[in-house]
Amino acid sequence: MIVTAFFLAYNPKEAYRVVISFLAIGFLVSGIATLSYYFTMARYMVGGKIILYRGVLLFDFAIFSGALADVPRFYVLVYLAVIHLFSGLVEVLRSAEARGNGGKSWGLKLIHGIINITAAICCLVFAKKTNTAVYIYCAGIFYSGIIRIVQAFRKTSFVYIR
């Protein structure tokens, strides 16, 4: 994420195609992985249909994102800002849940969510100025990369297996 942020900031004209490609490929891989998980295991689980719906929705987002290649840049920046805004809202809600459960890292999640929301709002405000919005988006990607690195090295009381 950090390398991508620097690349996109260095080449704001090429950022459009690269972001669309990354977004479409990311949604596609996530959708296919979720659907394969459903067909191999989750269909036998309680609530497995939610995983099916999530996989179909991610696959649909991949198709929609790939179709945005011919759309004006303004709409793509708005689309990216909305995705960033949704991610920030989810992070804020996760921090509230972690705080309610007595977690220790709820503050970092809250700050991460607020910065994602702020970056999305700044992208929406500066959406007419494509280069400025790209720089704001790159700063958000850079910050998210740093936060992920910090969270990866943080000690937790749970063992995570991915």
Side-chain angles (χ1 to χ4, degrees):
M1 291 177 84
I2 294 170
V3 172
T4 302
F6 280 119
F7 174 75
L8 295 177
Y10 183 71
N11 297 323
K13 300 288 184 200
E14 298 294 322
Y16 176 73
R17 298 260 184 220
V18 172
V19 168
I20 291 297
S21 299
F22 280 165
L23 198 60
I25 291 170
F27 279 139
L28 182 67
V29 168
S30 182
I32 290 173
T34 304
L35 286 173
S36 67
Y37 173 66
Y38 170 77
F39 287 119
T40 57
M41 292 180 61
R43 67 180 167 177
Y44 304 112
M45 296 171 24
V46 173
K49 285 193 189 232
I50 292 173
I51 294 173
L52 173 67
Y53 299 147
R54 185 180 301 150
V56 169
L57 189 66
L58 287 169
F59 194 76
D60 287 343
F61 276 141
I63 293 170
F64 178 71
S65 298
L68 289 176
D70 297 328
V71 175
R73 294 176 187 214
F74 171 76
Y75 297 113
V76 174
L77 287 174
V78 170
Y79 176 64
L80 291 173
V82 168
I83 290 174
H84 225 54
L85 182 68
F86 180 74
S87 172
L89 288 173
V90 167
E91 199 68 26
V92 167
L93 293 174
R94 286 180 61 208
S95 73
E97 181 184 12
R99 182 177 183 203
N101 292 335
K104 297 178 183 176
S105 66
W106 66 269
L108 185 63
K109 288 180 183 181
L110 179 66
I111 291 170
H112 185 219
I114 290 172
I115 289 178
N116 273 342
I117 292 170
T118 305
I121 291 172
C122 288
C123 277
L124 289 174
V125 169
F126 295 111
K128 294 282 185 186
K129 300 175 184 175
T130 308
N131 287 350
T132 306
V134 167
Y135 293 140
I136 292 169
Y137 188 73
C138 289
I141 292 173
F142 179 79
Y143 178 75
S144 292
I146 295 294
I147 290 297
R148 286 179 184 250
I149 291 172
V150 168
Q151 287 177 344
F153 288 108
R154 175 170 281 184
K155 287 187 178 186
T156 61
S157 58
F158 298 105
V159 175
Y160 292 104
I161 301 173
R162 287 193 159 218

